[in-house]
Amino acid sequence: MTDRLVAAKVPAGVAVEAGKSYWWCRCGRSAGQPFCDGSHKGSDITPMKYEATESKAVYFCNCKQTGAEPLCDGSHKKL
């Protein structure tokens, strides 16, 4: 199993748009955090689809340790 890398110890605030899909990087290797750029290829980690049901600000996890994927649950505070 490939380990997830901590991309940052703070969440990424993003204004999402209702009806749009976003692909959250689970591996921590993407240069375009918090979203996938395909850097997971060759690993057993795949991105996660997030579908925005409303337009609002959300906080995507950047430490990749959250229990509320893909959103931040404060796990970065324990790193």
Side-chain angles (χ1 to χ4, degrees), residues 64-75:
K64 313 307 175 187
Q65 309 302 308
T66 185
E69 290 184 341
L71 303 177
C72 176
D73 69 356
S75 293

Side-chain angles (χ1 to χ4, degrees), residues 48-67:
M48 176 181 214
K49 186 177 183 180
Y50 174 83
E51 294 186 41
T53 56
E54 60 182 301
S55 295
K56 65 179 182 176
V58 298
Y59 291 87
F60 287 97
C61 173
N62 266 337
C63 75
K64 313 307 175 187
Q65 309 302 308
T66 185

